[in-house]
Amino acid sequence: QETGLQYKKFMAYPWILTVTWPVDTDNEDYPLIRTGPYWKKFKANFCEFIAVLVQQCQCSILYDSYLMDTIISLLTGLADSMVRAFRHTSTLAAMKLLTAVVSIHLNLDVNKHNAQRLYEVEKKRIGGKRTNYRLDQLERKRKEVRKVSFMGDV
């Protein structure tokens, strides 16, 4: 309080993240609302960072619940701040995060539908014959997509 900074601590086990911001909440000058080409680019890069983070994690750590729980805890804590800049920034980040997760879910749903369709077409094509390599490959792909889809629903 003596330095004019507000401290907010977030638990992100095993780390503790300390965020500082000037207590002067009347000052409306923070990066997301500033004007000019540099700040527009900053905002676009900030939003793109969140989308790319989720996209890069879509096949692995997105479903381990640790990463998402930590990010959601951080954004929830920031959204509850007295500082408008934190609230605005965390709300924007949460919206971009949700948009990216929904996009991945829709993509996964399309892949699941396509894998099922390809499997059924191949199965009809070979008719009553024994299974072939292509059908086995499509069955594995279908099971893999279904498994990832179920992990995402949890």
Side-chain angles (χ1 to χ4, degrees):
Q1 289 177 347
E2 293 172 7
T3 60
L5 297 176
Q6 177 183 13
Y7 293 93
K8 193 96 172 169
K9 291 188 183 226
F10 299 97
M11 286 298 295
Y13 185 78
W15 311 280
I16 297 177
L17 175 65
T18 305
V19 180
T20 60
W21 198 266
V23 173
D24 182 14
T25 56
D26 294 335
N27 183 2
E28 296 294 325
D29 200 21
Y30 59 96
L32 292 183
I33 65 166
R34 287 188 179 171
T35 57
Y38 176 81
W39 297 110
K40 277 186 173 181
K41 186 171 178 138
F42 173 82
K43 183 177 179 179
N45 287 340
F46 176 74
C47 295
E48 183 183 3
F49 168 75
I50 294 167
V52 168
L53 174 70
V54 173
Q55 185 181 26
Q56 291 296 318
C57 298
Q58 72 179 337
C59 295
S60 58
I61 62 175
L62 185 65
Y63 301 112
D64 76 350
S65 78
Y66 177 74
L67 174 71
M68 291 304 284
D69 286 349
T70 304
I71 291 173
I72 291 170
S73 295
L74 175 66
L75 293 178
T76 303
L78 288 172
D80 195 32
S81 174
M82 300 270 301
V83 179
R84 181 177 186 268
F86 282 168
R87 290 193 313 268
H88 181 214
T89 305
S90 65
T91 303
L92 177 65
M95 288 177 56
K96 294 299 179 180
L97 182 74
L98 183 60
T99 301
V101 169
V102 166
S103 174
I104 290 196
H105 183 72
L106 289 174
N107 212 3
L108 187 59
D109 196 39
V110 167
N111 287 342
K112 186 169 79 170
H113 177 70
N114 288 344
Q116 179 66 32
R117 238 178 69 219
L118 282 171
Y119 176 78
E120 289 171 3
V121 166
E122 188 69 19
K123 194 171 184 179
K124 284 179 185 177
R125 189 180 73 77
I126 65 167
K129 298 177 188 175
R130 290 182 16 200
T131 61
N132 66 3
Y133 176 73
R134 175 87 172 128
L135 189 62
D136 291 341
Q137 195 177 25
L138 288 171
E139 175 65 21
R140 278 195 302 275
K141 173 79 172 167
R142 189 175 71 138
K143 286 180 181 177
E144 178 185 326
V145 170
R146 187 180 298 154
K147 177 184 170 192
V148 172
S149 177
F150 287 139
M151 286 178 16
D153 291 339
V154 173

